[in-house]
Amino acid sequence: MQQHIDSYDFTGKKAIVRVDFNVPLNENFEITDDTRIRRAIPTLKKVLAGGGSLIIMSHLGRPKKVDPKFSLKHIVAHVSECLGVPVQFAEDCQAADAQAAALKPGEALLLENLRFYAEEEGKPRGLAEDASDEEKAAAKKAVKASQKEFTKKLASYADCYINDAFGTAHRAHASTALIAEYFPNDKMFGYLMEGEIKAIDNVLKNAKRPFTAIIGGSKVSSKLAVLENLLPKVDNLIIGGGMGYTFIKAMGGKIGNSLHEDDLIPQALDIMARAKELGVNLSLSTETVVADDFSNEANHKTVPSNEIPEGWEGMDAGKASLENWKKIILGSKTILWNGPVGVFEMDTFAKGTLQIAEYLAEATANGAYTLVGGGDSVAAVTKMGYADKVSYVSTGGGAMLEAIEGKDLPGIAAIRGGQVSNNKSNS
Ligand code: AMP
C-alpha cells in the first residue's frame, strides 16, 4: 500500500531515498549546477525532522564500471551543506550494512554511485562485440538473477522507501522501481515526485480548457508518440521548431534546406487529418527566420514558412507565427510546452523561443496553468530566466516526455502498485 510522506511516521525509522543527484561536474569535480540536489532537499529534511534517518542513493553519469570520475564522494560536502547535517559516505553501495545499521535519528548516509554495479540497470556489461545471441541471452539472465540480490541488499538497509528521482522514473532499475516490492506497506513518493505527478495530471487528466500544447524541437520522429497522445486531449496544437518543416513540406510547401524527415511525411499528413477530424486547431509556423548557414553569424531574413528558398534553412519562428501563437496561448487556460521553436542555443535564433517563454509567463500571470517539460524547453526557460514565472518546470527530460506520451512510468507504478508477494526480509 502506498504511503504519503506527510502522514508517514518516520520516528526511529531508516528511510532509503532514491534521489537524482546526477549533477554536472567540472574538471575539478565541482558542481556546476546543483538544482537537482536542491530540489530533493525538502524530502530529505522531512525525514530528518520527523525523527528518521536517511540512506540516500543515486546514480551519477553513465559509468560502465567502478570509476572514481563518477564517484558521489565529490558531492558529499555540498549535500551536507544543503541538508544542514554532516552526510556520511558509503564507498560501496553493496557493503553499507554496518554504516546503515549505526545510523541514529537525524543522521544521513550517502551510498556510492549505484551504477558502479551493472545490477542497478540490470543490463549486462563487458560483452564481446561479436558475442552470439546465446551468450547475450545468458549474460542478460545472469545480471537479472544477481539484480535480485543487489536490490535486496539495498532494501535491507532501511524500514521504508521513498522515490524522489523523477529524472529516472521512466527506468525500471533496481533503485527506482524493483526495490519498492520489499516495502509493500512502507513506500511513498517524495515531494519532488509528488509535484511532477500532479503537474502531469494537471495537463493530461484535469486540464482546464482551452488546453494548448506547444511542441517544438528538432525531430518529428522523437515526438510522434507525444503528438499522438495529445491529439485527442488538446484544443490547440502548436507545432514549431525544426519538426514543423516536415509538416509544411507534407502540405506542399517549399522548405529549402530546413531540417525535415521525408519518411515521416505520411505520419505528418495523418496527424493533420486527425486534428481536423477531432476539431483540434493545429497551428504551424506561417513565417520563418531563415539563414544561409547553420551558424549564429549566418545571413538571415524572414520569409513565409512555405516559401523558403533553396540554400536557406528555417532557424526560428517569424513575427507573424509568434503573433498567431500569442493569441492562442493567451486564450488558453492550460498550456503544455515541450521543445524550443527555434535554434535557441544561437542568440540570433533564440528570439522565438524567448517570446514563447514570455507568452507563457503572461498566461500564468493571468491565471493559466503552464507546464514546461521534457528536454530543451526546460533549458530554454531556465536560461532565459522564466523558470519561476510559469506554473511548473519539470526536472525530468526523458521521464516527462514518456509521461506525455501516455506511458506508465515504472518508478511511479512501483509505488502505486498493490501488495506484492515478496515480503521484506530486512527488519
Ligand atoms: P528536442 O530535443 O527534440 O526538443 O530538440 C531540441 C533541439 O531542436 C534544440 O537543440 C534546437 O536547437 C533544435 N531546433 C529547434 N528548431 C530548429 C530548427 N528550425 N532547425 C534545427 N534545429 C532546431
Side-chain angles (χ1 to χ4, degrees):
M1 195 185 62
Q2 180 186 348
Q3 300 286 343
H4 292 279
I5 185 165
D6 271 328
S7 52
Y8 192 81
D9 183 4
F10 289 105
T11 314
K13 298 255 173 72
K14 293 187 168 76
I16 189 155
V17 190
R18 176 53 154 108
V19 293
D20 180 4
F21 282 175
N22 184 26
V23 288
L25 301 175
N26 65 16
E27 61 284 4
N28 299 321
F29 302 109
E30 292 154 351
I31 300 167
T32 55
D33 178 355
D34 71 348
T35 310
R36 287 177 169 157
I37 294 176
R38 283 186 288 105
R39 297 281 295 256
I41 292 296
T43 293
L44 301 179
K45 282 194 168 163
K46 169 73 182 166
V47 174
L48 298 183
S53 55
L54 287 168
I55 297 130
I56 308 166
M57 55 178 175
S58 177
H59 74 286
L60 177 68
R62 296 175 176 211
K64 292 291 169 227
K65 57 180 173 43
V66 176
D67 181 345
K69 267 208 314 275
F70 296 104
S71 173
L72 282 168
K73 72 175 183 227
H74 303 303
I75 71 163
V76 176
H78 192 68
V79 176
S80 301
E81 199 183 312
C82 294
L83 197 54
V85 300
V87 173
Q88 302 164 42
F89 186 63
E91 286 176 17
D92 181 346
C93 71
Q94 287 291 286
D97 313 60
Q99 282 171 287
L103 283 174
K104 296 193 193 66
E107 293 185 344
L109 171 69
L110 174 66
L111 303 183
E112 180 57 289
N113 195 343
L114 298 165
R115 290 195 190 166
F116 282 179
Y117 283 87
E119 284 79 4
E120 163 63 358
E121 296 175 279
K123 280 192 225 140
R125 287 179 183 169
L127 263 174
E129 284 203 4
D130 58 354
S132 66
D133 286 349
E134 289 79 41
E135 283 167 331
K136 282 184 196 158
K140 199 168 168 194
K141 205 170 153 200
V143 76
K144 287 284 174 203
S146 51
Q147 191 180 36
K148 284 210 171 86
E149 291 310 309
F150 176 87
T151 313
K152 201 167 160 184
K153 171 64 95 172
L154 294 175
S156 73
Y157 301 149
D159 305 298
C160 61
Y161 167 61
I162 304 176
N163 189 352
D164 210 21
F166 184 69
T168 46
H170 57 318
R171 306 282 183 221
H173 293 168
S175 68
T176 61
L178 307 186
I179 191 172
E181 83 174 70
Y182 294 92
F183 301 94
N185 297 312
D186 299 276
K187 54 183 178 173
M188 68 206 93
F189 296 123
Y191 290 122
L192 176 59
M193 279 286 266
E194 278 186 352
E196 298 274 358
I197 292 167
K198 192 159 166 249
I200 295 165
D201 286 351
N202 280 347
V203 296
L204 294 185
K205 293 196 179 140
N206 314 313
K208 293 204 182 84
R209 294 185 174 277
F211 172 20
T212 295
I214 309 158
I215 308 297
S218 53
K219 289 186 169 174
V220 183
S221 46
S222 62
K223 302 280 167 84
L224 203 56
V226 167
L227 295 174
E228 280 171 356
N229 189 45
L230 288 175
L231 257 186
K233 300 186 181 4
V234 296
D235 301 291
N236 304 294
L237 179 59
I238 295 173
I239 299 183
M243 60 186 279
Y245 301 105
T246 300
F247 287 80
I248 293 166
K249 184 167 184 194
M251 289 171 72
K254 295 195 179 68
I255 59 164
N257 293 6
S258 304
L259 193 69
H260 66 284
E261 293 161 285
D262 279 332
D263 52 332
L264 284 166
I265 284 183
Q267 282 88 337
L269 286 168
D270 180 55
I271 285 171
M272 289 189 282
R274 281 183 37 224
K276 208 166 178 187
E277 260 169 50
L278 292 162
V280 171
N281 170 32
L282 193 156
S283 178
L284 297 171
S285 166
T286 50
E287 198 179 66
T288 294
V289 178
V290 294
D292 60 357
D293 187 21
F294 192 74
S295 121
N296 192 46
E297 283 70 40
N299 294 312
H300 58 277
K301 59 184 180 181
T302 300
V303 301
S305 301
N306 56 1
E307 287 175 30
I308 300 178
E310 278 309 314
W312 294 76
E313 60 187 294
M315 299 288 277
D316 197 7
K319 205 166 158 216
S321 307
L322 291 164
E323 274 164 12
N324 277 343
W325 294 344
K326 181 179 184 182
K327 275 186 223 124
I328 298 172
I329 292 168
L330 293 182
S332 302
K333 294 236 163 61
T334 304
I335 302 147
L336 165 66
W337 182 20
N338 172 284
V341 298
V343 186
F344 77 100
E345 297 92 337
M346 301 180 192
D347 287 346
T348 312
F349 307 107
K351 297 188 184 81
T353 300
L354 176 63
Q355 285 277 287
I356 299 286
E358 278 173 8
Y359 302 154
L360 252 71
E362 196 176 332
T364 314
N366 292 342
Y369 182 81
T370 51
L371 166 62
V372 183
D376 276 349
S377 37
V378 171
V381 287
T382 308
K383 180 179 160 195
M384 292 166 176
Y386 281 87
D388 56 0
K389 296 190 173 77
V390 295
S391 307
Y392 197 82
V393 178
S394 175
T395 55
M400 182 48 87
L401 205 62
E402 289 199 16
I404 309 170
E405 287 173 359
K407 288 190 188 147
D408 258 346
L409 306 186
I412 295 179
I415 298 280
R416 284 185 173 158
Q419 201 98 8
V420 276
S421 58
N422 193 350
N423 275 329
K424 195 175 133 195
S425 56
N426 57 321
S427 31

Coordinates of all heavy atoms in Angstrom, one line a residue, residues 216-219 222-223 240-243 245 258-259 288-289 294 313-316 338-346 353 374-377, ligand 1:
G216 N 7.8 21.6 -29.9 CA 8.8 22.0 -30.8 C 10.0 21.1 -30.8 O 9.8 19.9 -30.4
G217 N 11.2 21.5 -31.1 CA 12.3 20.7 -31.1 C 12.7 20.3 -32.5 O 12.2 20.8 -33.4
S218 N 13.6 19.3 -32.5 CA 14.2 19.1 -33.8 C 13.5 18.1 -34.7 O 13.3 18.3 -35.9 CB 15.7 18.6 -33.6 OG 15.8 17.6 -32.7
K219 N 13.0 16.9 -34.1 CA 12.6 15.9 -35.0 C 11.2 15.4 -34.7 O 10.8 15.2 -33.5 CB 13.5 14.7 -34.8 CG 14.9 14.9 -35.4 CD 15.7 13.6 -35.3 CE 16.9 13.8 -36.2 NZ 17.8 12.6 -36.0
S222 N 11.1 11.9 -32.8 CA 11.2 11.8 -31.4 C 9.9 12.3 -30.7 O 9.8 12.1 -29.5 CB 12.4 12.5 -30.9 OG 12.3 13.9 -31.2
K223 N 9.0 12.9 -31.4 CA 7.8 13.5 -30.7 C 6.5 12.9 -31.3 O 5.4 13.3 -30.9 CB 7.8 15.0 -31.0 CG 9.0 15.8 -30.5 CD 9.0 16.0 -29.0 CE 10.3 16.5 -28.4 NZ 10.6 17.9 -28.5
G240 N 6.1 23.7 -33.7 CA 7.1 24.6 -34.1 C 8.5 24.0 -34.2 O 8.6 22.8 -34.1
G241 N 9.5 24.8 -34.3 CA 10.9 24.3 -34.4 C 11.2 23.5 -35.6 O 10.4 23.5 -36.6
G242 N 12.3 22.8 -35.6 CA 12.7 22.0 -36.8 C 11.7 21.0 -37.2 O 11.5 20.8 -38.4
M243 N 10.9 20.4 -36.3 CA 10.0 19.4 -36.7 C 8.8 19.9 -37.5 O 8.2 19.2 -38.2 CB 9.4 18.6 -35.4 CG 8.7 19.5 -34.4 SD 8.3 18.5 -33.0 CE 6.9 17.7 -33.5
Y245 N 8.9 21.7 -40.1 CA 9.1 21.7 -41.6 C 8.7 20.4 -42.3 O 8.3 20.5 -43.5 CB 10.6 22.1 -41.9 CG 11.0 23.4 -41.3 CD1 11.7 23.5 -40.1 CD2 10.4 24.6 -41.8 CE1 12.0 24.7 -39.5 CE2 10.6 25.8 -41.2 CZ 11.4 25.9 -40.1 OH 11.7 27.1 -39.5
S258 N 15.8 23.3 -44.9 CA 15.4 23.1 -43.5 C 15.4 21.7 -43.1 O 15.2 20.8 -43.9 CB 13.9 23.7 -43.3 OG 13.8 25.0 -43.7
L259 N 15.6 21.5 -41.8 CA 15.6 20.1 -41.2 C 14.2 19.5 -41.5 O 13.2 20.1 -41.4 CB 15.7 20.3 -39.7 CG 16.0 19.1 -38.8 CD1 17.4 18.6 -39.1 CD2 15.8 19.5 -37.4
T288 N 8.9 32.3 -41.1 CA 10.1 31.7 -40.6 C 11.4 32.6 -40.8 O 11.5 33.2 -41.8 CB 10.4 30.4 -41.3 OG1 9.4 29.4 -41.0 CG2 11.7 29.7 -40.9
V289 N 12.2 32.6 -39.7 CA 13.5 33.3 -39.9 C 14.5 32.2 -40.5 O 14.7 31.2 -39.9 CB 14.1 33.8 -38.6 CG1 15.4 34.5 -38.8 CG2 13.1 34.8 -37.9
F294 N 24.1 27.1 -40.9 CA 23.6 26.8 -39.6 C 24.6 27.4 -38.6 O 25.4 26.7 -37.9 CB 23.6 25.2 -39.4 CG 22.9 24.8 -38.2 CD1 21.5 24.9 -38.1 CD2 23.6 24.3 -37.1 CE1 20.8 24.4 -36.9 CE2 22.9 23.8 -35.9 CZ 21.5 23.9 -35.9
E313 N 17.8 27.8 -44.7 CA 17.1 26.9 -43.8 C 16.4 27.6 -42.6 O 16.9 28.6 -42.2 CB 18.1 25.8 -43.2 CG 19.2 26.3 -42.4 CD 20.2 25.2 -42.0 OE1 19.8 24.3 -41.3 OE2 21.3 25.3 -42.5
G314 N 15.3 27.0 -42.3 CA 14.5 27.6 -41.2 C 15.2 27.5 -39.8 O 15.6 26.4 -39.5
M315 N 15.3 28.6 -39.1 CA 16.1 28.6 -37.9 C 15.2 29.0 -36.7 O 15.5 28.7 -35.5 CB 17.3 29.5 -38.0 CG 18.3 29.1 -39.0 SD 19.2 27.6 -38.6 CE 20.5 28.3 -37.6
D316 N 14.2 29.8 -37.0 CA 13.4 30.4 -35.8 C 12.0 30.8 -36.4 O 11.8 30.9 -37.6 CB 14.1 31.6 -35.2 CG 13.6 31.9 -33.8 OD1 12.8 31.2 -33.3 OD2 14.0 33.0 -33.3
N338 N 6.7 21.8 -24.8 CA 7.8 20.8 -24.9 C 8.6 21.1 -26.2 O 8.0 20.9 -27.3 CB 7.3 19.4 -24.9 CG 8.3 18.4 -25.2 OD1 8.7 18.2 -26.3 ND2 8.9 17.7 -24.2
G339 N 9.8 21.6 -26.1 CA 10.6 21.7 -27.3 C 10.7 23.2 -27.8 O 9.6 23.8 -28.0
P340 N 11.9 23.7 -28.0 CA 12.0 25.1 -28.5 C 11.5 25.3 -29.9 O 11.4 24.3 -30.7 CB 13.5 25.3 -28.5 CG 14.1 23.9 -28.5 CD 13.2 23.0 -27.9
V341 N 11.1 26.5 -30.2 CA 10.6 26.8 -31.6 C 11.6 27.3 -32.5 O 11.3 27.7 -33.6 CB 9.4 27.7 -31.5 CG1 8.2 27.1 -30.7 CG2 9.8 29.1 -31.0
G342 N 12.9 27.2 -32.1 CA 14.0 27.6 -33.0 C 15.3 27.1 -32.4 O 15.3 26.5 -31.4
V343 N 16.4 27.4 -33.1 CA 17.7 27.0 -32.6 C 18.1 28.0 -31.5 O 18.9 28.9 -31.7 CB 18.7 27.0 -33.8 CG1 20.0 26.4 -33.3 CG2 18.1 26.2 -34.9
F344 N 17.5 27.8 -30.3 CA 17.7 28.8 -29.2 C 19.1 28.8 -28.7 O 19.4 29.8 -28.0 CB 16.7 28.5 -28.1 CG 17.1 27.3 -27.2 CD1 17.7 27.6 -26.0 CD2 17.0 26.0 -27.6 CE1 18.2 26.6 -25.2 CE2 17.4 25.0 -26.8 CZ 18.0 25.2 -25.6
E345 N 19.9 27.8 -29.0 CA 21.3 27.9 -28.5 C 22.1 29.0 -29.1 O 23.1 29.5 -28.6 CB 22.0 26.6 -28.8 CG 21.4 25.3 -28.0 CD 20.4 24.6 -28.9 OE1 19.8 25.2 -29.8 OE2 20.1 23.4 -28.6
M346 N 21.6 29.5 -30.3 CA 22.3 30.6 -31.0 C 21.4 31.8 -30.8 O 20.2 31.9 -31.1 CB 22.3 30.3 -32.5 CG 23.1 29.0 -32.9 SD 23.1 28.8 -34.7 CE 23.7 27.1 -34.8
T353 N 11.8 31.5 -29.3 CA 11.7 30.6 -28.1 C 11.5 31.6 -26.8 O 10.7 31.3 -25.9 CB 12.9 29.7 -27.9 OG1 12.9 28.9 -29.1 CG2 12.8 28.8 -26.7
G374 N 10.2 18.3 -20.4 CA 10.8 17.4 -21.3 C 11.8 18.1 -22.2 O 11.5 18.7 -23.2
G375 N 13.1 17.9 -21.8 CA 14.2 18.3 -22.7 C 14.5 19.8 -22.8 O 14.5 20.5 -21.8
D376 N 14.7 20.2 -24.0 CA 15.4 21.5 -24.2 C 14.5 22.7 -23.9 O 15.1 23.8 -23.7 CB 15.8 21.6 -25.6 CG 17.2 21.0 -25.8 OD1 17.8 20.7 -24.8 OD2 17.6 20.8 -27.0
S377 N 13.2 22.6 -23.8 CA 12.4 23.8 -23.5 C 12.7 24.2 -22.0 O 12.6 25.3 -21.6 CB 10.9 23.5 -23.7 OG 10.6 22.2 -23.3
Ligands
AMP1 P1 14.4 18.3 -28.9 O1 15.5 17.7 -28.1 O2 13.8 17.4 -29.9 O3 13.4 19.0 -28.0 O4 15.1 19.4 -29.8 C1 15.7 20.5 -29.3 C2 16.6 21.0 -30.4 O5 15.9 21.3 -31.5 C3 17.4 22.2 -30.0 O6 18.8 21.8 -29.9 C4 17.2 23.2 -31.1 O7 18.3 23.8 -31.5 C5 16.6 22.3 -32.2 N1 15.8 23.1 -33.1 C6 14.8 23.8 -32.9 N2 14.4 24.4 -34.1 C7 15.2 24.0 -35.0 C8 15.3 24.3 -36.4 N3 14.5 25.1 -37.0 N4 16.3 23.7 -37.1 C9 17.2 22.9 -36.5 N5 17.1 22.6 -35.2 C10 16.2 23.1 -34.5

